[in-house]
Amino acid sequence: KGAGGMDQHYMGYNQAMAAEFIGDCTFFAKAFGQAIGSVDVWRDVVLVKNERRDILRYKLHLDSGHRIEALSSNPYNWRGKQGHARIDEAAFHDNLREVVKGALAFRMWGGRVDIVSTYNGENNDFAEYVRDIEAGKLPWSLHTVTFDSALRAGFFKRVCLVRGLTWSKAAEVSYR
């Protein structure tokens, strides 16, 4: 594999998130001039009865030898992998504790784990993890991005660019 970097493994809570993630990665890899070897869809089961739980993954192979893989929310999808694990919209996963348990094995091989989510109330495993971090019970770092800080960092400008709108301060205030 190329110097530096590591394989990237993404897990959302449904198949559509995995497909969208791989599509976004493909778009940006091409935009930044990275050579893409191939994009594959792998089904590890013959019959998908439940797209949120059955094993399904999308892979993007880079010419560097690294890969970006988007997985379904089955915790067993983490097994045997190394690199960077990203759990997206964690507060919405049905079985977050098992998903995190599987992902933490990445750290044994020098990898890392990011657990990210938008707010989904106080009664879920993600909210409990946040409370445990704040109380010092977990040695993890907590990073919060508010809507206002995202706006200051240019979020609405990006929305305008993607939607073909003209940005203005007045439009951003109205959007807020």
Side-chain angles (χ1 to χ4, degrees), residues 78-135:
W78 295 127
R79 303 296 182 228
K81 298 188 180 351
Q82 297 176 27
H84 175 202
R86 175 176 296 274
I87 303 166
D88 194 12
E89 293 295 7
F92 299 87
H93 279 258
D94 288 336
N95 196 0
L96 181 61
R97 294 223 174 258
E98 288 300 312
V99 168
V100 169
K101 179 180 168 185
L104 288 177
F106 281 56
R107 295 174 58 202
M108 293 176 10
W109 297 100
R112 63 183 261 198
V113 178
D114 292 339
I115 306 168
V116 299
S117 191
T118 51
Y119 183 74
N120 188 25
E122 294 296 322
N123 296 319
N124 59 70
D125 289 334
F126 179 76
E128 190 172 324
Y129 280 134
V130 169
R131 287 190 295 273
D132 287 348
I133 294 166
E134 291 173 335

Side-chain angles (χ1 to χ4, degrees), residues 27-125:
F27 171 81
F28 283 105
K30 288 178 180 177
F32 289 117
Q34 298 295 314
I36 299 173
S38 64
V39 178
D40 299 318
V41 178
W42 295 81
R43 286 190 186 271
D44 293 331
V45 290
V46 176
L47 179 63
V48 177
K49 295 177 184 175
N50 182 332
E51 69 182 31
R52 290 183 68 183
R53 289 188 170 80
D54 292 340
I55 301 172
L56 176 71
R57 67 178 179 228
Y58 296 86
K59 276 188 184 179
L60 174 62
H61 297 272
L62 302 174
D63 284 348
S64 67
H66 292 292
R67 69 181 185 260
I68 301 171
E69 197 172 39
L71 309 162
S72 72
S73 62
N74 187 326
Y76 297 103
N77 279 333
W78 295 127
R79 303 296 182 228
K81 298 188 180 351
Q82 297 176 27
H84 175 202
R86 175 176 296 274
I87 303 166
D88 194 12
E89 293 295 7
F92 299 87
H93 279 258
D94 288 336
N95 196 0
L96 181 61
R97 294 223 174 258
E98 288 300 312
V99 168
V100 169
K101 179 180 168 185
L104 288 177
F106 281 56
R107 295 174 58 202
M108 293 176 10
W109 297 100
R112 63 183 261 198
V113 178
D114 292 339
I115 306 168
V116 299
S117 191
T118 51
Y119 183 74
N120 188 25
E122 294 296 322
N123 296 319
N124 59 70
D125 289 334

